[in-house]
Amino acid sequence: MNLALVQDGYLPAIVPPILRRDYVSLLERAHGDDMDFVEFIAEREFESQREILRLFRIPFPSQGMNPSQTLQ
């Protein structure tokens, strides 16, 4: 999954240990309907980008955007 993200110009999506069960469960369910998994990964990507910006002390734009808006 992260390889596909990086190949498309995104950062790797970091899934913290506390969310691993959710990740695996959504991944298994994605064989039938992948929308919940896609939303989960979009949220993880969004949070990963925020974390990178925080680490480099770059202010995050506050335009009220959330990850689900990018999926529409």
Side-chain angles (χ1 to χ4, degrees):
M1 173 204 61
N2 278 328
L3 178 59
L5 287 170
V6 170
Q7 287 176 338
D8 285 340
Y10 295 96
L11 295 172
I14 300 167
V15 179
I18 196 164
L19 296 176
R20 303 267 183 198
R21 284 188 183 181
D22 294 339
Y23 168 78
V24 171
S25 174
L26 290 168
L27 182 59
E28 289 172 350
R29 289 192 334 214
H31 295 291
D33 179 18
D34 66 350
M35 197 59 200
D36 289 337
F37 180 73
V38 170
E39 288 178 4
F40 177 84
I41 295 303
E43 183 178 326
R44 295 291 93 227
E45 177 66 23
F46 183 78
E47 292 302 324
S48 296
Q49 290 180 17
R50 284 179 62 124
E51 183 65 13
I52 293 293
L53 291 173
R54 186 189 69 75
L55 289 171
F56 287 108
R57 296 189 173 123
I58 300 170
F60 190 78
S62 59
Q63 298 174 334
M65 187 177 142
N66 66 47
S68 63
Q69 290 174 321
T70 61
L71 297 175
Q72 297 173 358

